[in-house]
Amino acid sequence: MKVLILADTHYDEGSRHLHYPASEKAVKGLWKWLLEKIENIDLISICGDVSVKGTTYLNELQYVKNKFDDLNIPYLPVPGNHDLCATKGMEERYPDLEEYEYVSLEETNFYKAFGEDGVRYSKVFNGIRFIGFAIRNEDPDEQLQWLGTELEKPEPKLVFGHFPLVPSRTGGYCKEWDYSRIDKCIPSLIETLGAKKHKVLAYFCGHQHINSIVPMGSTYQIETGSTVLTTTSYRIMEIADNEINITTHRLPYIDGYAGDLTLPERSLDAEHTTVHDYHYGNESDLKIEIEY
């Protein structure tokens, strides 16, 4: 089984302005590339932020859903902060970008576009349970309870969300930057996903637009960079013979970087001694083999 892992595809229909102007070319290139790539892929998993203004404009989310539907292969999305705002009050800080929806999960734009599978799914492929979940801070939707029930099931598991839970770098801005959106939920998520008894082989996320692989309890947190910003990249996960092999690749239609790198002056640590390595990742961030 071959799985394509994407994150932060950030489609922007531009009704107010293009929040990420440099991503426009990359977004168009993504759909063309997917049509060419898809014949070798069995499943797509998307780690959130499929849109830029999805919490405000339902049509952005519907456009992305239609595009993935057109590929005619299974895909599993979860929302990011641009699709389903996780933190109350963000609409005052980021109007039109992250507007908290003061409604039930079933009444949010992301649910309207993608349905139940968009906010929580638990499906078995090749003997492995794939679990994806949306989460809002303070967990008003009782997603942690649902997740705990699914983690008790017997199969080995791959879990997909949007937000990194443990620091993705040992220094620089990613050591402490932007974990606050779900800070009330992070301790519980680390405890449950990292528990050996739950047999989580890996937790996949996005959000910071970097590639990173770090331990999290008895499992790994695997963060995938954006397809349309900075070091445009994706991951391939191949599952065979009780082994998972994950590799990372640059998208071929973008030379250099798409847009500006985030905080380049704070993009160094002991393991990543160049700005490029900090964002794209070093060898240990780019591939891993997991036996189960």
Side-chain angles (χ1 to χ4, degrees), residues 173-218:
Y173 79 94
C174 285
K175 183 178 180 180
E176 72 284 328
W177 181 76
D178 229 17
Y179 300 92
S180 62
R181 280 176 171 81
I182 59 164
D183 58 354
K184 302 295 190 300
C185 301
I186 282 178
S188 293
L189 286 168
I190 292 174
E191 181 179 0
T192 54
L193 295 177
K196 187 175 182 179
K197 66 177 182 178
H198 289 149
K199 297 192 287 188
V200 176
L201 303 175
Y203 167 66
F204 294 89
C205 61
H207 188 57
Q208 294 175 326
H209 301 173
I210 68 166
N211 294 306
S212 169
I213 300 176
V214 292
M216 186 175 73
S218 66

Side-chain angles (χ1 to χ4, degrees), residues 8-21:
D8 297 82
T9 58
H10 282 303
Y11 169 69
D12 188 342
E13 51 85 44
S15 61
R16 180 166 171 256
H17 63 271
L18 288 173
H19 183 65
Y20 300 118

Side-chain angles (χ1 to χ4, degrees), residues 203-276:
Y203 167 66
F204 294 89
C205 61
H207 188 57
Q208 294 175 326
H209 301 173
I210 68 166
N211 294 306
S212 169
I213 300 176
V214 292
M216 186 175 73
S218 66
T219 189
Y220 298 94
Q221 173 182 282
I222 301 178
E223 183 176 350
T224 299
S226 171
T227 60
V228 299
L229 291 165
T230 67
T231 53
T232 52
S233 54
Y234 63 96
R235 296 196 194 258
I236 293 291
M237 175 167 60
E238 297 185 79
I239 303 172
D241 301 324
N242 296 319
E243 183 176 276
I244 292 173
N245 189 292
I246 299 169
T247 55
T248 308
H249 311 269
R250 288 293 306 269
L251 287 161
Y253 50 82
I254 292 292
D255 295 325
Y257 304 137
D260 297 328
L261 294 175
T262 304
L263 299 173
E265 70 283 359
R266 295 174 57 198
S267 296
L268 296 173
D269 64 14
E271 298 79 22
H272 306 85
T273 56
T274 71
V275 173
H276 176 81

